[in-house]
Amino acid sequence: MNTTSTTLAPPAKLPGPNEPCWCGSGNKYKKCHRGEDSQARAPAPAARRVRPGAVSPRRPVPAHIPRPDYADTGRPGPGAKGDPSTRVERMRRACRAAAEVLQVTGAAVKPGITTDALDAICHEEYIRRGGYPSTLNYHGFPKSLCTSVNEVILHGIPDSRPLEDGDIVNLDVTIYLDGMHGDCSATFPVGKIDAASEQLLRVTRECMMLGIEAVKPGLPINVIGRAIEAHAKRYGYGVVQSYCGHGIGEIFHLEPQVSHTFDYHATDIIQEGMFFTIEPMLTMGSTRHLDWDDGWTVVTADGKRSAQFEHTIYVTRDGAEILTQVSP
């Protein structure tokens, strides 16, 4: 099982300048965490709302690349069935490839690059590995990558908008390889970002890892949301409830649904051998969302920033194996 350490969180009510610091160091607050807390709690600088740009034509996939059943029709069906004895290893290969594609595409994030250019890089990396971009024509989605900038929660369509210094952008990568879908995402800083956005990214990733650490066969699936929501609330962040993690494998989206908040009714039992994603979306403000007219892009209702991190995991006897990691 993969674990991660988390940092101490400041309390909702901070101590006075000459009072002992909340961290337990014994130093006065003004000489310890006061400066760091002030930076982290400062609101992000006002930014203009993200607006849609021009969307380029769908990128072609070479004929020799195996593709999912919806590649031509846009309508997913039951999915292909491969050899069950190789299912786990095929899933590991697909997820490892997804993680590699995310790493390469993320390295290209910088001020001035368009999200369409990131889509082109991502598309070529799928093809290089013999995989099909899972999002391409999935229910009609026009691109090979989802790029969600600033207040975009998820499903942003790559377009002609250049990224700006201080933006944050989530890249959501899914590859169809060896008959399986591997899915992962991360939110990247564009140039130099403010301290409040840095904290949002850090805490969102911590929430994902805490959700993964909560996975144990025999437990109800709502332990994942409980762990995520508790950590997010320590920092005053909202956790999006309208979108969740999901089962995955030969089919892109399967049961179980994995809520990122505690759902009393989510009592499905985690079972050894399951594959599913954990992908919390945290917001600096309201968790209410609005939908753009493109039918895909989902933004925060108040225009405040959102971040997301995602791994695909395999439930083992002892916990969770993270499949979407780049091998050392």
Side-chain angles (χ1 to χ4, degrees), residues 100-115:
E100 291 170 355
V101 172
L102 178 61
Q103 183 182 58
V104 172
T105 311
V109 170
K110 62 182 179 180
I113 193 169
T114 65
T115 52

Side-chain angles (χ1 to χ4, degrees), residues 40-283:
R41 293 199 174 189
R48 58 188 178 89
R49 293 278 188 109
V50 175
R51 293 290 181 263
V55 177
S56 64
R58 192 167 80 182
R59 293 187 164 86
V61 177
H64 71 274
I65 300 289
R67 55 201 66 212
D69 56 7
Y70 56 82
D72 295 322
T73 67
R75 297 187 298 274
K81 299 295 181 184
D83 181 354
S85 68
T86 65
R87 189 169 188 255
V88 175
E89 284 309 311
R90 288 187 293 120
M91 192 63 173
R92 286 195 177 110
R93 286 196 293 271
C95 288
R96 186 165 53 247
E100 291 170 355
V101 172
L102 178 61
Q103 183 182 58
V104 172
T105 311
V109 170
K110 62 182 179 180
I113 193 169
T114 65
T115 52
D116 187 62
L118 292 174
D119 182 77
I121 292 167
C122 185
H123 185 89
E124 289 306 313
E125 291 299 322
Y126 290 133
I127 304 306
R128 191 190 311 278
R129 289 164 176 78
Y132 180 91
S134 295
T135 59
L136 190 61
N137 206 31
Y138 182 75
H139 290 291
F141 190 82
K143 289 295 182 177
S144 302
L145 170 71
C146 294
T147 53
S148 300
V149 180
N150 296 344
E151 72 268 21
V152 180
I153 299 172
L154 76 172
H155 299 162
I157 299 174
D159 61 22
S160 61
R161 179 191 184 276
L163 294 176
E164 301 177 10
D165 188 63
D167 283 346
I168 60 174
V169 58
N170 176 268
L171 306 180
D172 195 342
V173 164
T174 316
I175 190 171
Y176 181 73
L177 182 69
D178 287 341
M180 308 295 278
H181 295 273
D183 191 3
C184 57
S185 83
T187 302
F188 295 87
V190 182
K192 182 173 177 55
I193 63 174
D194 60 277
S197 295
E198 285 181 352
Q199 179 175 276
L200 176 68
L201 267 58
R202 175 177 61 80
V203 175
T204 305
R205 186 181 185 281
E206 289 173 354
C207 282
M208 175 189 66
M209 296 304 296
L210 286 167
I212 292 170
E213 290 172 8
V215 172
K216 298 283 192 305
L219 294 181
I221 205 159
N222 60 21
V223 298
I224 298 170
R226 186 198 295 272
I228 290 169
E229 187 173 26
H231 191 60
K233 282 186 172 180
R234 294 172 71 187
Y235 290 86
Y237 294 134
V239 183
V240 174
Q241 299 181 46
S242 300
Y243 296 90
C244 59
H246 54 88
I248 191 169
E250 293 89 352
I251 299 175
F252 195 168
H253 292 91
L254 293 165
E255 295 295 329
Q257 294 193 35
V258 184
S259 174
H260 302 117
T261 59
F262 178 69
D263 181 353
Y264 179 82
H265 300 288
T267 55
D268 289 347
I269 300 302
I270 299 170
Q271 298 179 30
E272 184 177 351
M274 282 181 165
F275 299 112
F276 55 79
T277 69
I278 296 176
E279 46 183 302
M281 291 144 270
L282 270 58
T283 63

Side-chain angles (χ1 to χ4, degrees), residues 5-15 21-24 29 33 36-37 40-41 199 202-203 206-207 210 230-237:
S5 60
T6 57
T7 55
L8 290 172
K13 183 178 180 181
L14 297 172
C21 186
W22 56 263
C23 72
Y29 179 56
H33 274 88
E36 182 179 327
D37 291 347
R41 293 199 174 189
Q199 179 175 276
R202 175 177 61 80
V203 175
E206 289 173 354
C207 282
L210 286 167
H231 191 60
K233 282 186 172 180
R234 294 172 71 187
Y235 290 86
Y237 294 134

